[in-house]
Amino acid sequence: MSKRSLSDRRRAIYTGLQPFFDEAGAMKAVTHWENRYADQPSLALQRYVADICQNNGLKDKRASILRSLLHAMTQESTELLADPRGPDHHESDRPEAASPSQAYAELMLAMMNQIDDSLQHKLRIELFAALRQRQLPLAILEALQNWLGTRQALRLNNAPTALLQKLLNQYYVLLCENFGPVRADRILAQGVNEVQRQHPELDQFIDSLL
């Protein structure tokens, strides 16, 4: 399996997951594999299965999922499902490795999703207005402007952790001003819990942002 292309290994993971996950769940699990386990030996699959089977409905199926993945890894390429990333996917399009920037983006999304659309829009405007007054690198400011204005994917590449801490703190200040510190703390805590549940590979980076 280790000599196969990334596409074939991804196809094997996707094939092995199919009996147990819906499409959205399978793609989320595939992405986790790409981010954390694509370069690991097959023995690491047991840890991978533990990562993606956190909820009660899947915990009892860990052994079956592991067997399904191991079986898929031994199948011929012609027996596997098509690459879920599509025939035109290039290896260079692989999702960025887990990083503080990715952790920041996921945490911000998890926090914003707790707020209704009208208030969320108001906070986005206020956040960008506050950030424009900071001496941010142009690339960072443009990425934030695109994200806040058009809801494109937030890509900050390798922004320094100290800068990400300041950006997160600025949003927390706005939450306090709009909702009070009690609800702001609750939104932050629930956001952290959601990211830890959905993206356990980002746990160490979340800690560095708080």
Side-chain angles (χ1 to χ4, degrees):
M1 185 67 182
S2 61
K3 295 181 180 179
R4 286 185 169 183
S5 68
L6 176 60
S7 176
D8 270 3
R9 286 180 287 140
R10 180 169 49 236
R11 290 172 62 203
I13 294 295
Y14 183 64
T15 300
L17 294 173
Q18 279 300 300
F20 307 96
F21 291 81
D22 60 20
E23 185 63 19
M27 288 308 300
K28 184 177 295 184
V30 166
T31 298
H32 181 57
W33 175 82
E34 290 172 320
N35 287 336
R36 188 75 179 271
Y37 292 96
D39 298 322
Q40 298 295 314
S42 58
L43 290 175
L45 276 179
Q46 188 167 356
R47 294 198 305 273
Y48 168 65
V49 170
D51 284 355
I52 63 175
C53 296
Q54 296 292 323
N55 68 59
N56 293 331
L58 291 172
K59 283 183 178 180
D60 294 338
K61 298 179 181 179
R62 287 180 180 179
S64 297
I65 293 173
L66 180 60
R67 283 195 297 270
S68 180
L69 289 171
L70 290 171
H71 174 68
M73 291 172 67
T74 65
Q75 291 181 271
E76 296 295 330
S77 180
T78 53
E79 300 176 298
L80 299 173
L81 296 174
D83 191 331
R85 297 296 183 195
D88 298 325
H89 180 78
H90 300 290
E91 307 298 4
S92 60
D93 294 332
R94 178 179 170 181
E96 64 175 334
S99 66
S101 295
Q102 185 188 1
Y104 169 79
E106 294 292 345
L107 180 55
M108 286 292 292
L109 182 61
M111 294 168 69
M112 286 184 170
N113 283 343
Q114 299 175 54
I115 302 167
D116 67 52
D117 287 345
S118 60
L119 282 174
Q120 190 179 132
H121 180 67
K122 174 178 179 288
L123 284 172
R124 284 173 180 263
I125 293 174
E126 290 180 357
L127 179 59
F128 185 64
L131 294 177
R132 287 188 64 180
Q133 299 178 28
R134 290 177 171 268
Q135 297 298 314
L136 296 177
L138 181 60
I140 297 292
L141 189 62
E142 288 179 346
L144 288 166
Q145 183 176 17
N146 288 335
W147 178 57
L148 293 168
T150 65
R151 302 198 181 192
Q152 295 179 8
L154 177 58
R155 302 190 182 280
L156 296 178
N157 298 321
N158 294 316
T161 300
L163 174 58
L164 297 172
Q165 290 172 331
K166 291 178 181 178
L167 296 177
L168 179 61
N169 184 67
Q170 183 66 63
Y171 188 66
Y172 176 77
V173 169
L174 290 176
L175 290 177
C176 288
E177 292 175 351
N178 282 271
F179 302 115
V182 174
R183 187 178 176 194
D185 284 346
R186 187 181 305 121
I187 290 172
L188 176 59
Q190 291 179 356
V192 169
N193 289 338
E194 180 66 13
V195 176
Q196 289 175 330
R197 185 177 68 84
Q198 296 284 348
H199 304 280
E201 74 278 9
L202 299 178
D203 204 11
Q204 60 178 314
F205 302 113
I206 290 293
D207 288 342
S208 71
L209 295 177
L210 301 176

